[in-house]
């Protein structure tokens, strides 16, 4: 029975960004977080026209960490620490905002000529309250450094945390599980992590959990303690995410996350008055502070 497996079923809000769609399941009107995950976006899949590309201009973050993970394509990351890094499929970019960071994300120049692909997941992790104001940092972990478990028609890449006896080298600010599960036709894998809060998400293809059909682009929040089997008849790409509950509620407004609403108001004022640092080699433009309520808002 569905009620035996799932606490909640979170359907996405889909935004068309011109050339590609983004499916957002967190934050949701019915739930703000799953473990430390407070934002969950699927980008694409899309193939942009020749000569075009993704251009997310410089913008700020506070009190969170962003995790970028691609299925296809490439993105150039630049930030106010002076970081420049191109991320490609299977690698991880972890950017810890702490007390404040600015970054941009753009399609590399060399892939724009033929029209870039874009497909992947971007998530935000809320930081524990005692780490919200740590120094900003950036970490890139290459694809070949992530543990891979291959069995029973399933290939599991452990993006963050520990799963199936393997542990990812990606930094955790709090207990986190995050995995990329590729199911071949007829493949299966147990979902039995002991994490307090977990969810599964079908990015592509078809999948069932203990025989219950899972819809693509829907975040299924699992009941604590349940073990189940994930299967696919025709092949699927599934993400597993979660971890320990946060140490209290979080506020979200635009690109800002914090346990304190006054901290978000301070960040809004700082961005409006250009008190955040600049991004070297990408400081000619920036995304302005929204003048109306942004699409990403969640207050406890």
């Amino acid at each position: 029975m569905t009620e035996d497996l799932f606490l909640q079923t979170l359907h996405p809000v889909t935004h068309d960004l011109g050339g590609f769609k983004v499916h957002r399941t967190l934050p949701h009107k019915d739930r703000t977080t799953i473990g430390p995950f407070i934002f969950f976006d699927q980008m694409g899949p899309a193939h942009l026209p020749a000569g075009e590309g993704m251009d997310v201009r410089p913008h700020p973050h506070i009190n969170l960490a962003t995790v970028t993970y691609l299925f296809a394509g490439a993105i150039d990351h630049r930030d106010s620490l002076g970081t420049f890094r191109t991320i490609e499929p299977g690698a991880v970019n972890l950017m810890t905002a702490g007390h404040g960071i600015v970054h941009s994300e753009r399609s590399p120049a060399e892939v724009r000529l033929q029209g870039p692909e874009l497909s992947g997941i971007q998530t935000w992790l809320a930081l524990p309250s005692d780490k919200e104001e740590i120094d900003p940092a950036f970490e890139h972990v290459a694809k070949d450094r992530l543990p891979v478990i291959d069995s029973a028609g399933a290939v599991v890449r452990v993006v963050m945390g520990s799963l199936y006896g393997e542990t990812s080298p990606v930094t955790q600010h709090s207990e986190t599980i995050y995995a990329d599960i590729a199911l071949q036709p007829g493949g299966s894998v147990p979902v039995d992590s002991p994490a307090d809060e977990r969810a599964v998400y079908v990015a592509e293809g078809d999948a069932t959990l203990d025989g219950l059909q899972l819809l693509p682009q829907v975040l299924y929040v699992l009941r604590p303690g349940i073990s189940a089997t994930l299967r696919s008849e025709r092949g699927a790409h599934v993400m597993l995410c979660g971890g320990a509950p946060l140490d209290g509620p979080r506020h979200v407004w635009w690109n800002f996350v914090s346990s304190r609403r006054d901290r978000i108001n301070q960040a809004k004022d700082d961005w409006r008055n250009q008190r955040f640092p600049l991004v070297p080699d990408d400081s000619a433009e920036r995304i302005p502070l929204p003048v109306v309520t942004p699409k990403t808002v969640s207050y406890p």
Side-chain angles (χ1 to χ4, degrees):
M1 296 290 290
T2 301
E3 56 268 24
D4 295 330
L5 286 179
F6 307 132
L7 278 177
Q8 290 171 296
T9 301
L10 307 180
H11 291 265
V13 174
T14 299
H15 304 292
D16 191 332
L17 300 186
F20 68 97
K21 291 182 178 180
V22 170
H23 307 285
R24 180 165 301 161
T25 44
L26 283 179
H28 192 278
K29 62 183 178 62
D30 295 328
R31 190 181 184 109
T32 303
T33 59
I34 300 168
F37 289 82
I38 198 164
F39 180 95
F40 195 104
D41 261 14
Q42 180 179 359
M43 307 173 288
H47 196 136
L48 304 182
E52 297 186 12
M54 183 184 81
D55 284 294
V56 180
R57 296 167 289 161
H59 58 281
H61 291 287
I62 64 162
N63 294 185
L64 59 81
T66 67
V67 182
T68 303
Y69 185 82
L70 297 181
F71 303 146
I75 296 174
D76 281 348
H77 164 96
R78 291 179 174 86
D79 64 41
S80 51
L81 300 175
T83 307
F84 171 74
R85 174 66 75 164
T86 300
I87 184 172
E88 295 179 328
V92 178
N93 274 4
L94 174 71
M95 185 187 74
T96 302
H99 59 70
I101 198 168
V102 180
H103 75 135
S104 65
E105 297 164 296
R106 301 180 186 271
S107 297
E110 59 270 21
V111 303
R112 291 177 184 252
L113 294 177
Q114 67 268 29
E117 287 187 89
L118 182 63
S119 181
I121 304 286
Q122 187 166 76
T123 60
W124 299 351
L125 309 179
L127 296 177
S129 57
D130 63 350
K131 294 183 179 180
E132 286 185 319
E133 299 294 332
I134 62 176
D135 289 339
F138 178 83
E139 177 179 314
H140 175 89
V141 177
K143 176 181 179 178
D144 61 7
R145 292 186 58 207
L146 296 179
V148 175
I149 300 97
D150 189 345
S151 69
V155 178
V156 181
R157 178 168 281 107
V158 184
V159 180
M160 295 184 74
S162 297
L163 200 64
Y164 305 118
E166 300 285 350
T167 299
S168 166
V170 178
T171 297
Q172 297 179 74
H173 296 293
S174 62
E175 182 185 322
T176 306
I177 59 163
Y178 192 26
D180 173 7
I181 303 171
L183 291 169
Q184 300 169 12
S188 65
V189 68
V191 176
D192 54 6
S193 164
D196 292 337
E197 298 183 357
R198 298 169 296 162
V200 291
Y201 178 92
V202 179
E204 299 175 293
D206 74 279
T208 61
L209 192 68
D210 274 7
L212 294 171
Q213 190 70 45
L214 304 179
L215 299 174
Q217 286 80 54
V218 174
L219 203 54
Y220 292 89
V221 184
L222 305 182
R223 289 192 175 280
I226 70 105
S227 295
T229 300
L230 190 66
R231 297 183 186 278
S232 178
E233 291 300 317
R234 296 183 295 276
H237 212 146
V238 182
M239 305 302 289
L240 171 68
C241 67
L246 287 171
D247 55 359
R250 292 298 186 272
H251 306 282
V252 185
W253 193 91
W254 191 43
N255 298 316
F256 304 135
V257 168
S258 183
S259 61
R260 297 168 291 145
R261 193 176 292 196
D262 64 322
R263 181 66 180 90
I264 288 180
N265 289 333
Q266 179 64 56
K268 290 160 67 175
D269 189 64
D270 287 343
W271 185 246
R272 185 185 297 113
N273 292 287
Q274 302 187 37
R275 289 192 287 264
F276 274 85
L278 297 175
V279 177
D281 301 321
D282 198 354
S283 59
E285 54 182 355
R286 66 182 203 151
I287 300 177
L289 192 77
V291 295
V292 297
T293 302
K295 294 175 180 176
T296 307
V297 176
S298 179
Y299 291 116

